């Protein structure tokens, strides 16, 4: 009663406000009635598809209590596996954690130099990264800490801020940058918007990695060679020019730097070669290769000590000098308006660099090791790390490619390995500062150049990019060139902007395809799969065949063969005056006009106007269709068909909008005028979304069109797709068959027992017993046989029941192109026989 009252109130308000509830609804009814327009067969189950409602959408999308519980539990992924932690996992994590720790200590000190900070800040950043990440991690392989590219970006920010504000210490700038970046990224992760990183293409990431690696490697050559007198923060090409101009200033540091770099590559190559020659010891050589950085640093610490132990004031090589022990920079970070305003222009690039490196690496190793990461949760992990790290002196950190690869190959089992690495870094902070005094700057530059060399995209990968998408290779080289001749930040912006522009262009200029019909057979070897042995067809399709999927079938492919199909195959036109048009990349307001203009232009070229004399006077004709010259007859083009029906393939369309639907309405009206006095029927196939159906039905699609200005409908006959319900292959029939077999066996057992019991009590003759048993068995057996034979499980039951797949209330929405074409052809041929019905679902008078 309440719902009925609400409906009446709603209808009353609609009348007052002038809202047409049945706007563009040809029938004026919410439900289609049974009659000529319905599939009214006794064996079919009626199905009327309900439209989605706004309340239903709110219920599906609005968060509830369970949603918040799931959100909270996903913030701490470790609770799902920490309870099952075991000794095997611990041993693997110990090996991986110690291995990564041996690599991260020298790397982090080298990267701190890139950030224009003292080397201890690299150790602080490494410690906080590996200590915090495991708590929020969804990747077991990622190692968070200082990385080359982010350190370079941080160094650029530090130099720019301190140039304009000399009174602000460099570590304060780096810490403030980490906190602001961490807050932004953490917020994105908390609101579960990790999908935004998917807008950054692989070409953009590769260009950024390659350009950054070249920038960093070239920038480290002066320190490697001991050359001074110019800035290594200039554009890459300028640094190359300055290196060549000042090559004569090379110092003894080059002996350390070049030999250290050569040794790093020689050790790696030797270990890789040995692993290929001795596969059974590949693990051993992997660990030896992994420790090459620590070995080279320790070797040159020894050499520097031997050379400089008596030259503390004037060392022969540039060395680090005193490194404080412990967390001397632990403090509450300073974040104020002045600092934020100073680096605000660099903030987008910093956030993008952190996200690109971490998410791309995490996804890559997740695919390699067969697990899936949660990008939003990974953002939370990075954000929290960068929010808390500055309290111990850390600067911006993200995932490291080289250390992640080492950790993965070392056999890490859980994110808890980060705690082991944290212990190693903590020992280095407290136990090894005295050794760090003799680390040479040249050897650290060699470590950096060796590390970033792996980030350069190899030529074979670029060639594979070219094979897949040549235009994206242009984007790749554009990003690299801009990075080399400008800066890392500009290279990032360039590749991302061009990639997004390309995506939009492809979407806006998407080309629809006109389809034709081709009959195909499936072939194995030199014979057809069906081989003419297909079973007979049932009442509503080939339900009785052995395998309907192997039968001859019709497919629909582009008429112009622009999909790469064999051009020698002759594609049949669907039917004279019937067109099948497929949207290729969605149907929304940016591309709707392009789609429909192309469709209408092609239809005008291939058809003729139904009534060439539709314009009574010359002045009635539109300016863009002036017609023939005076005194000449109208051009009729009798070889072309008139437009009868259009079939739209919505298989690639998920959502529509007001603009696209309105443009479709405008085209429908335009073509109706073109085909007047006839009407064009619009058949829509493969609609995948209920809201799309609602939108199209609200615009009047899904029903037959009226004829000209007449309010009545052409006589039409819908063609619905139906499916079998409860056939002999259904699960219910199989279960019934098994149950019947069991019942038959139980009945036979009871017959035998009753016969034996009767023989003991009455003791008749042997012949009488046999006769009685046979009669009883036949009697009971015949009943069971009759029962079983009448069941569906034995294929002799009642006529197979079928049901329509799509709703009866939208007869021109079809499940596939075949049913749409059948419906279109049937009604075109029927329309040629004449006859006008009063309306949908009415009876003839």
């Amino acid at each position: 009663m309440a719902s009925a009252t609400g409906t009446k109130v709603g209808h009353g308000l609609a009348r007052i406000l002038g809202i047409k509830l049945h706007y563009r609804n040809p029938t004026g009814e919410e439900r289609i009635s049974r009659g000529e327009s319905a599939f009214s067969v006794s064996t079919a189950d009626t199905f009327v598809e309900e439209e989605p409602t706004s309340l239903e959408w709110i219920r599906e999308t609005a968060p509830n209590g369970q949603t918040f519980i799931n959100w909270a539990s996903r913030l701490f992924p470790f609770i799902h596996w920490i309870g099952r932690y075991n000794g095997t996992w611990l041993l693997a994590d110990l090996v991986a954690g110690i291995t990564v720790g041996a690599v991260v200590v020298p790397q982090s000190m080298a990267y701190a130099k890139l950030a224009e900070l003292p080397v201890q800040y690299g150790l602080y950043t490494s410690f906080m990264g590996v200590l915090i990440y495991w708590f929020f991690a969804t990747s077991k392989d990622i190692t968070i800490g200082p990385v080359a590219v982010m350190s370079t970006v941080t160094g650029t920010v530090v130099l720019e801020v301190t140039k304009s504000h000399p009174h602000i210490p460099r570590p304060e700038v780096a810490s403030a940058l980490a906190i602001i970046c961490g807050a932004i990224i953490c917020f994105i992760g908390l609101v579960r918007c990790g999908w935004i990183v998917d807008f950054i293409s692989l070409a953009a990431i590769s260009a950024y990695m390659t350009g950054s690696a070249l920038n960093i490697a070239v920038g480290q050559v002066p320190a490697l060679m001991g050359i001074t007198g110019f800035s290594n923060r200039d554009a890459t090409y300028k640094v190359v020019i300055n290196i060549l101009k000042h090559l004569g200033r090379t110092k003894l540091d080059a002996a350390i730097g070049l030999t250290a770099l050569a040794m790093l590559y020689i050790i790696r190559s030797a270990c890789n070669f040995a692993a290929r020659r001795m596969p059974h010891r590949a693990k051993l050589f992997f660990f030896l290769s992994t420790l090459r950085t620590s070995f080279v640093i320790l070797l040159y610490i020894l050499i520097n000590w031997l050379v400089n132990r008596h030259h503390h004031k004037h060392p022969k090589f540039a060395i680090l000098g005193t490194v404080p022990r412990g967390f001397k920079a632990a403090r509450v970070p300073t974040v104020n308006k002045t600092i934020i305003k100073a680096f605000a222009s660099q903030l987008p690039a910093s956030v993008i660099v952190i996200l690109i490196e971490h998410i791309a690496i995490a996804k890559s190793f997740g695919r390699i090791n067969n697990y899936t990461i949660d990008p939003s949760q990974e953002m939370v992990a990075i954000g929290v790390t960068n929010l808390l790290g500055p309290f111990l002196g850390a600067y911006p950190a993200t995932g490291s490619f080289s250390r992640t690869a080492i950790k993965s190959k070392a056999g890490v089992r859980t994110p808890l390995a980060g705690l082991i690495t944290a212990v190693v870094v903590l020992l280095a902070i407290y136990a090894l500062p005295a050794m760090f005094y003799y680390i040479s700057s040249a050897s650290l530059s060699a470590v950096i150049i060796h590390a970033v060399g792996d980030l350069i995209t190899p030529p074979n990968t670029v060639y594979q990019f070219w094979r897949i998408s040549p235009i994206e290779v242009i984007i790749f080289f554009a990003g690299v060139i801009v990075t080399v001749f400008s800066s890392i930040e500009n290279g990032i912006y360039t590749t991302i902007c061009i990639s997004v522009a390309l995506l939009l262009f492809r979407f806006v200029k998407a080309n629809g395809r006109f389809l034709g019909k081709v009959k195909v057979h499936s072939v194995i070897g030199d014979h057809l799969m069906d081989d003419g042995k297909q079973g007979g067809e049932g009442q509503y399709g080939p339900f009785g065949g052995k395998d309907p999927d192997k039968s001859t079938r019709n497919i629909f492919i582009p008429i112009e063969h622009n999909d790469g199909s064999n051009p020698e195959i002759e594609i049949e036109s669907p039917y004279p005056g019937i067109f099948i048009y497929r949207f290729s990349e969605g149907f929304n307001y940016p591309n709707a006009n392009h789609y429909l203009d192309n469709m209408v232009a092609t239809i005008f070229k291939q058809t003729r106007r139904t009534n060439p004399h539709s314009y009574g006077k010359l002045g009635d004709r539109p300016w863009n269709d002036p017609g023939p010259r005076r005194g000449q007859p109208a051009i009729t083009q009798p070889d072309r068909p008139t437009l009868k029906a259009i079939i739209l393939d919505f298989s690639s369309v998920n959502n529509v909008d007001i603009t696209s639907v309105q443009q479709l309405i405008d085209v429908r009206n335009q073509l109706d005028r073109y085909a007047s006095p006839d009407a064009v029927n619009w058949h829509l196939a493969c609609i995948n979304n209920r809201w799309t159906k609602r939108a199209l039905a609200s615009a009047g699609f899904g029903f037959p069109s009226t004829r000209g200005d007449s309010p009545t409908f052409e006589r039409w006959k819908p063609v619905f797709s139906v499916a079998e319900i409860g056939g002999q292959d259904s699960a219910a029939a199989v279960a019934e068959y098994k149950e019947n077999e069991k019942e038959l066996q139980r009945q036979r057992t009871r017959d035998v027992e009753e016969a034996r019991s009767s023989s003991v009590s009455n003791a008749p003759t042997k012949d009488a017993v046999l006769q009685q048993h046979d009669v009883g068995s036949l009697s009971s057996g015949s009943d069971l046989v009759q029962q079983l034979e009448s069941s569906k499980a034995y294929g002799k039951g009642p006529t197979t029941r079928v049901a329509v797949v799509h709703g009866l209330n939208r007869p021109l929405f079809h499940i596939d192109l075949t049913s749409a074409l059948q419906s279109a052809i049937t009604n075109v041929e029927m329309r040629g026989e004449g006859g006008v019905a009063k309306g949908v679902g009415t009876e003839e008078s």
Side-chain angles (χ1 to χ4, degrees):
M1 178 65 73
S3 61
T5 304
T7 301
K8 291 179 180 179
V9 172
H11 287 184
L13 288 175
R15 281 194 295 270
I16 294 172
L17 297 174
I19 299 174
K20 299 178 182 180
L21 296 178
H22 301 299
Y23 177 60
R24 293 196 180 103
N25 185 343
T27 65
E29 298 291 338
E30 293 184 3
R31 291 176 179 269
I32 197 165
S33 59
R34 289 226 177 213
E36 182 182 350
S37 62
F39 185 71
S40 52
V41 200
S42 59
T43 59
D45 282 2
T46 300
F47 170 66
V48 176
E49 184 177 351
E50 298 290 341
E51 287 188 348
T53 63
S54 300
L55 185 60
E56 177 184 344
W57 181 84
I58 292 174
R59 283 199 301 265
E60 290 177 354
T61 57
N64 52 35
Q66 186 61 41
T67 303
F68 285 109
I69 293 174
N70 293 338
W71 176 82
S73 65
R74 289 171 60 188
L75 287 178
F76 308 102
F78 77 96
I79 62 177
H80 300 293
W81 54 265
I82 194 69
R84 293 185 290 275
Y85 201 81
N86 54 67
T88 304
W89 291 2
L90 176 61
L91 181 61
D93 288 347
L94 277 171
V95 174
I98 294 173
T99 303
V100 173
V103 176
V104 73
V105 170
Q107 276 193 356
S108 61
M109 291 191 293
Y111 293 154
K113 301 290 287 183
L114 289 176
E116 301 295 333
L117 298 172
V119 293
Q120 64 267 25
Y121 286 90
L123 296 174
Y124 303 155
T125 307
S126 296
F127 174 75
M128 290 302 291
V130 293
L131 179 67
I132 297 173
Y133 174 68
W134 74 272
F135 202 66
F136 304 94
T138 62
S139 169
K140 69 180 179 63
D141 300 300
I142 281 286
T143 299
I144 288 186
V147 297
V149 181
M150 191 60 223
S151 297
T152 302
V153 173
T154 302
T156 301
V157 172
V158 166
L159 290 177
E160 288 188 2
V161 174
T162 53
K163 183 178 180 180
S164 57
H165 301 80
H167 63 282
I168 302 178
R170 291 184 178 185
E172 284 190 9
V173 177
S175 295
L177 179 65
I179 288 179
I180 300 302
C181 289
I184 294 172
I185 295 172
C186 187
F187 173 76
I188 296 173
L190 289 174
V191 297
R192 299 299 170 186
C193 289
W195 46 266
I196 63 173
V197 297
D198 294 332
F199 284 97
I200 303 175
S201 67
L202 180 58
I205 295 174
S206 300
Y208 144 77
M209 290 286 193
T210 301
S212 301
L214 292 174
N215 181 291
I216 294 168
V218 171
Q220 289 304 303
V221 172
L224 184 80
M225 305 287 290
I227 302 173
T228 57
F230 60 92
S231 172
N232 63 350
R233 290 278 173 178
D234 291 334
T236 304
Y237 78 98
K238 291 183 179 179
V239 176
V240 172
I241 293 173
N242 287 327
I243 290 173
L244 296 176
K245 288 171 61 177
H246 298 84
L247 201 57
R249 298 183 182 179
T250 301
K251 298 179 182 177
L252 197 57
D253 297 71
I256 297 291
L258 292 176
T259 55
L261 183 61
M263 190 174 298
L264 288 169
Y265 279 105
I266 290 171
I267 294 175
R268 186 175 71 174
S269 300
C271 290
N272 291 340
F273 177 77
R276 291 193 299 269
R277 295 296 299 270
M278 293 176 281
H280 58 288
R281 295 184 178 177
K283 200 75 171 179
L284 171 63
F285 291 114
F286 161 74
F287 284 110
L288 291 177
S289 177
T290 298
L291 297 175
R292 65 186 181 277
T293 303
S294 299
F295 170 75
V296 169
I297 291 295
L298 290 174
L299 175 63
Y300 283 94
I301 287 175
L302 175 62
I303 293 174
N304 284 331
W305 177 76
L306 293 173
V307 173
N308 294 313
R309 58 181 173 171
H310 300 303
H311 304 279
H312 283 215
K313 293 184 178 180
H314 303 285
K316 301 293 184 182
F317 313 119
I319 58 177
L320 295 183
T322 304
V323 177
R325 186 187 307 273
F327 295 97
K328 302 297 184 182
R331 68 192 185 285
V332 176
T334 301
V335 181
N336 53 45
K337 184 178 179 180
T338 302
I339 297 177
I340 296 175
K341 186 177 180 180
F343 62 64
S345 61
Q346 299 287 340
L347 203 54
S350 301
V351 172
I352 291 173
V353 168
I354 293 175
L355 291 180
I356 286 179
E357 290 220 36
H358 185 94
I359 303 299
I361 294 169
K363 284 185 175 181
S364 176
F365 281 90
R367 287 189 290 267
I368 292 172
N369 295 316
N370 196 29
Y371 63 86
T372 303
I373 69 156
D374 182 352
S376 297
Q377 182 58 30
E378 289 297 314
M379 289 185 180
V380 173
I382 309 170
V384 173
T385 299
N386 283 288
L387 281 171
L388 299 181
F391 287 87
L392 289 183
Y395 66 88
T398 186
S400 166
F401 177 80
S402 60
R403 297 194 295 272
T404 298
I406 291 170
K407 191 176 180 181
S408 176
K409 291 181 181 179
V412 65
R413 300 301 296 273
T414 71
L416 199 64
L419 282 180
I420 312 302
T421 303
V423 172
V424 175
V425 176
L426 189 64
L427 290 174
I429 291 173
Y430 278 96
L432 302 179
M435 291 179 57
F436 296 157
Y437 181 92
Y438 289 101
I439 295 179
S440 65
S441 298
S443 61
L444 288 180
S445 295
V447 170
I448 293 172
I449 294 173
H450 180 66
V452 300
D454 294 333
L455 300 179
I456 298 176
T457 305
N460 182 60
T461 302
V462 177
Y463 174 71
Q464 295 303 323
F465 288 171
W466 176 264
R467 295 283 299 169
I468 296 170
S469 179
I471 193 171
E472 290 189 84
V473 175
I474 298 175
I475 296 175
F476 169 81
F477 282 113
V480 174
I481 291 171
V482 170
T483 302
V484 169
F485 286 90
S486 180
S487 65
I488 294 176
E489 295 84 355
N490 291 338
I492 293 172
Y493 296 145
T494 299
T495 53
I496 292 178
C497 290
I498 297 178
S499 296
V500 173
L502 176 62
L503 175 66
L504 292 176
F505 178 82
R506 285 174 168 172
F507 184 73
V508 172
K509 293 296 183 180
N511 293 317
R513 306 296 185 195
F514 283 93
L515 307 182
K517 183 176 65 173
V518 176
K519 181 180 289 186
V520 298
H521 304 260
S522 296
V523 177
I524 296 180
D526 58 353
H527 65 280
L528 299 177
M529 290 181 67
D530 53 326
D531 205 19
K533 299 178 182 178
Q534 180 66 30
E537 293 189 352
Q539 185 178 2
Y540 304 110
F543 297 141
K546 295 180 180 179
D547 191 350
D549 293 334
K550 295 183 180 179
S551 61
T552 301
R553 64 195 187 279
N554 290 323
I555 62 171
F556 299 89
I557 59 178
I559 293 176
E560 297 178 355
H561 292 285
N562 43 23
D563 63 335
S565 56
N566 190 342
E568 295 183 0
I569 296 175
E570 296 183 3
I571 301 176
E572 301 177 12
S573 175
Y575 190 88
I578 297 179
F579 294 87
I580 303 177
Y581 191 70
R582 172 179 290 165
F583 300 117
S584 58
E585 292 191 33
F587 182 63
N588 298 97
Y589 70 91
N591 57 19
N593 188 67
H594 182 72
Y595 273 134
L596 298 178
D597 284 351
N598 177 42
M599 184 185 75
V600 171
T602 303
I603 289 174
F604 283 171
K605 288 180 182 178
Q606 298 184 9
T607 60
R608 60 182 170 87
R609 187 181 294 275
T610 303
N611 181 12
H613 305 289
S614 57
Y615 300 109
K617 301 176 182 179
L618 181 62
D620 294 338
R621 301 189 69 95
W623 66 271
N624 60 336
D625 184 16
R629 294 182 180 273
R630 291 182 183 274
Q632 294 184 358
I635 301 174
T636 58
Q637 299 173 321
D639 57 319
R640 297 183 183 179
T642 58
L643 179 60
K644 298 177 177 63
I646 295 175
I647 300 171
L648 297 180
D649 183 358
F650 274 74
S651 57
S652 63
V653 178
N654 189 42
N655 293 289
V656 294
D657 49 54
I658 295 174
T659 306
S660 60
V661 172
Q662 182 59 50
Q663 291 192 4
L664 198 59
I665 293 170
D666 295 340
V667 169
R668 179 182 62 185
N669 296 336
Q670 178 187 8
L671 295 180
D672 279 346
R673 290 191 296 270
Y674 177 74
S676 177
D678 291 339
V680 180
N681 277 333
W682 292 73
H683 298 260
L684 282 64
C686 308
I687 304 176
N688 302 315
N689 188 303
R690 293 176 63 209
W691 284 95
T692 301
K693 290 182 182 179
R694 167 177 158 159
L696 294 169
S698 300
F701 294 96
F703 302 96
S705 301
T706 58
R707 185 166 186 170
D709 296 329
S710 172
T712 60
F713 294 93
E714 290 277 346
R715 182 178 296 275
W716 57 286
K717 183 180 294 184
V719 177
F720 293 101
S721 297
V722 298
E724 184 180 10
I725 297 179
Q728 59 185 7
D729 295 329
S730 67
V734 172
E736 183 181 355
Y737 175 84
K738 293 181 179 179
E739 186 62 32
N740 288 339
E741 286 288 340
K742 294 178 181 179
E743 181 62 30
L744 181 59
Q745 186 65 31
R746 286 194 294 268
Q747 185 64 36
R748 288 174 176 170
T749 303
R750 284 196 297 269
D751 291 342
V752 173
E753 291 177 352
E754 289 175 1
R756 292 177 179 174
S757 175
S758 177
S759 64
V760 171
S761 60
N762 299 326
T765 61
K766 180 178 181 180
D767 293 340
V769 171
L770 291 174
Q771 184 177 2
Q772 181 181 359
H773 176 264
D774 293 341
V775 172
S777 297
L778 288 172
S779 176
S780 61
S782 63
D783 292 340
L784 281 174
V785 169
Q786 184 177 2
Q787 177 184 355
L788 290 173
E789 288 182 350
S790 64
S791 70
K792 290 182 289 184
Y794 281 84
K796 297 181 181 180
T799 306
T800 302
R801 293 176 60 242
V802 295
V804 290
V805 178
H806 280 188
L808 299 174
N809 50 334
R810 306 290 181 228
L812 298 191
F813 288 166
H814 304 279
I815 190 173
D816 59 8
L817 290 176
T818 300
S819 61
L821 182 59
Q822 290 172 349
S823 178
I825 293 176
T826 300
N827 286 282
V828 166
E829 293 177 346
M830 182 179 179
R831 184 165 56 186
E833 298 173 2
V836 178
K838 295 180 180 180
V840 177
T842 60
E843 296 180 357
E844 294 184 41
S845 57

